[in-house]
Amino acid sequence: MKKLDVYISKNFIKSFLLSLIAFVNIFILSQLFKIIRYITAGRMSIGESITYIIYLLPKIFIEVTPLAILLGSLMCINKMASNLEIISLKTSGISFRRIVRYPVIISFLVSLVVFQMMNRVYPVTLSKSRDLRAGRKISETILPATKNNAFLRTEDNIIYYIKNINRIENTAKMLEIIRVDKNFEKIEEIITAKTGRFDVDKNLWILKDVTINNFIDKHQNAYKVYSNKNFDKSPSDFITIQGDPEELTNAEIKKSIRDIRITGGDIKGPLSVLGKRYSFPFASFIVSFLGLALGSRYVRGASAISIALSVGLGYSYYIVQASFEALSVNGILNPFLSGWIPNVIFLGLGLYFMKKAEY
């Protein structure tokens, strides 16, 4: 790293941190009125309100970082342009891409920090802030005792459909178990039973009033009592909780999606959250191109216009991102595709302005 890179990097980091502090303070002030209402209503003490604000900081940091990067990069380069440093460097044969190399790298590193915060820190602090706001000290989730129309597909290509299942009593009514071949193309066997009880000690279902239709040998058998060691899924496996995926880490969301998928639940919400987790953090890296390019030319009196334009572009990113996120939640668009479309659009704009900044 040359002295020029150190100089630009220091100015960029300083501008970014000033912008970040400004935006964080604005967001905290917007929450103060709500917190004051909680205190006056007796829902929070002063100590709890301070803790609540601390828990909000990761969420605020994640949300405002792209704006801070955009404004910080514009301020840094605009200051150099106003001092005629940019034009001097260009005249000496240094390209604009070379000038902004380290601010772009720093923006990418900031994006990685945001990615890790969204995965590890944000879910924990979000859960705790919601508990404080709701007046709960510990967030508790209770697994339902029963479930109607329970569905489960196993790795052995065994499909369960149970009209009613009771997790506490380990019983079930109106069961249908379907065996499918390894390619999941042909039905080999359909087993129906009026009732069933899961034997915890033997780890298998004991079915009553059973009819077995074998499609390979093409025959039917009836049993008063029937059991099979392959039918080893306990009632708890059929009952899953679809909690808020925002409060889960990426690994936990992926596990939740697998659990919900095999039980026939709706996975659009968790998929949308996971798609955003892998796309939104890199908004900081992408918008840095816009800020750096827009601040590259010094025109007297144009600084305020450039700042207003950059902030407007920053908020327009949030609008576009929210619009595509809604499409993914409603199942219209693939969650990962909808998360990256805004990034691709604004990366294209950034590269266009970056090319213009070379001249």
Side-chain angles (χ1 to χ4, degrees):
M1 183 184 289
K2 298 180 179 179
K3 290 183 178 180
L4 173 63
D5 297 320
V6 173
Y7 171 74
I8 295 173
S9 298
K10 285 183 177 179
N11 285 336
F12 174 75
I13 293 171
K14 181 180 177 181
S15 300
F16 162 65
L17 291 177
L18 288 174
S19 302
L20 181 65
I21 292 169
F23 282 118
V24 168
N25 285 333
I26 291 171
F27 273 74
I28 290 176
L29 286 173
S30 68
Q31 293 290 324
L32 280 180
F33 297 102
K34 187 187 295 185
I35 294 169
I36 291 171
R37 287 203 307 271
Y38 291 155
I39 294 173
T40 54
R43 292 173 59 182
M44 280 187 189
S45 65
I46 295 177
E48 288 174 336
S49 64
I50 295 173
T51 305
Y52 178 71
I53 292 173
I54 293 172
Y55 286 150
L56 285 179
L57 288 178
K59 179 177 185 292
I60 295 172
F61 172 82
I62 290 167
E63 291 181 350
V64 305
T65 298
L67 279 176
I69 285 285
L70 181 60
L71 185 58
S73 57
L74 185 140
M75 290 170 58
C76 170
I77 298 300
N78 189 257
K79 182 179 178 182
M80 292 181 64
S82 64
N83 292 332
L84 302 181
E85 293 172 332
I86 296 295
I87 194 169
S88 298
L89 291 170
K90 286 183 177 181
T91 304
S92 63
I94 301 175
S95 68
F96 186 71
R97 285 192 296 271
R98 178 62 184 84
I99 295 171
V100 300
R101 177 187 295 176
Y102 278 91
V104 170
I105 292 173
I106 293 168
S107 299
F108 182 74
L109 295 176
V110 171
S111 293
L112 295 180
V113 172
V114 173
F115 178 82
Q116 290 298 324
M117 288 195 70
M118 286 191 77
N119 179 31
R120 302 178 184 276
V121 181
Y122 172 67
V124 177
T125 55
L126 177 66
S127 177
K128 291 183 177 181
S129 66
R130 286 177 174 177
D131 287 345
L132 271 178
R133 189 173 58 193
R136 301 189 302 269
K137 298 299 182 184
I138 300 175
S139 179
E140 296 181 353
T141 307
I142 301 173
L143 199 66
T146 63
K147 183 177 180 179
N148 294 323
N149 301 316
F151 171 87
L152 182 67
R153 174 184 169 181
T154 71
E155 295 177 355
D156 301 325
N157 285 346
I158 297 175
I159 302 170
Y160 295 81
Y161 173 75
I162 301 176
K163 187 70 174 177
N164 177 270
I165 190 166
N166 190 306
R167 180 181 61 87
I168 305 299
E169 299 176 358
N170 287 323
T171 59
K173 297 178 182 178
M174 303 303 294
L175 301 90
E176 185 174 292
I177 303 173
I178 303 172
R179 288 176 177 269
V180 185
D181 67 353
K182 63 180 182 180
N183 296 322
F184 209 77
E185 294 176 349
K186 296 180 180 180
I187 296 175
E188 296 180 346
E189 194 175 57
I190 297 179
I191 301 164
T192 59
K194 288 185 178 180
T195 60
R197 180 180 62 83
F198 186 77
D199 191 317
V200 179
D201 296 326
K202 296 180 180 180
N203 195 43
L204 55 79
W205 282 95
I206 299 175
L207 308 176
K208 293 183 178 181
D209 299 321
V210 179
T211 301
I212 300 178
N213 292 286
N214 191 307
F215 289 87
I216 297 176
D217 300 331
K218 296 183 179 179
H219 68 267
Q220 184 183 85
N221 294 320
Y223 301 90
K224 281 292 183 183
V225 180
Y226 178 82
S227 62
N228 189 309
K229 64 179 183 180
N230 293 320
F231 303 158
D232 57 355
K233 295 299 180 182
S234 69
S236 296
D237 293 326
F238 291 83
I239 303 175
T240 58
I241 297 175
Q242 296 188 35
D244 189 349
E246 292 279 2
E247 298 180 7
L248 304 176
T249 64
N250 293 350
E252 290 170 340
I253 293 175
K254 292 175 184 177
K255 182 181 181 301
S256 176
I257 290 171
R258 288 195 297 268
D259 293 342
I260 294 170
R261 182 179 279 124
I262 65 173
T263 55
D266 185 4
I267 60 172
K268 291 194 293 291
L271 276 176
S272 178
V273 172
L274 192 62
K276 184 177 179 180
R277 292 273 182 92
Y278 282 100
S279 58
F280 182 77
F282 298 98
S284 300
F285 167 68
I286 287 165
V287 299
S288 67
F289 290 96
L290 281 171
L292 293 167
L294 289 172
S296 62
R297 292 186 179 182
Y298 174 64
V299 179
R300 189 179 298 274
S303 298
I305 296 174
S306 297
I307 291 173
L309 179 61
S310 68
V311 173
L313 286 170
Y315 277 106
S316 65
Y317 174 85
Y318 289 98
I319 294 170
V320 174
Q321 186 267 333
S323 300
F324 280 97
E325 184 181 356
L327 292 176
S328 69
V329 171
N330 292 323
I332 299 173
L333 201 60
N334 179 279
F336 290 92
L337 184 63
S338 66
W340 275 97
I341 285 176
N343 287 355
V344 172
I345 292 172
F346 280 81
L347 179 60
L349 285 174
L351 293 176
Y352 170 78
F353 284 114
M354 189 70 71
K355 184 178 179 181
K356 291 288 186 181
E358 289 289 355
Y359 305 102

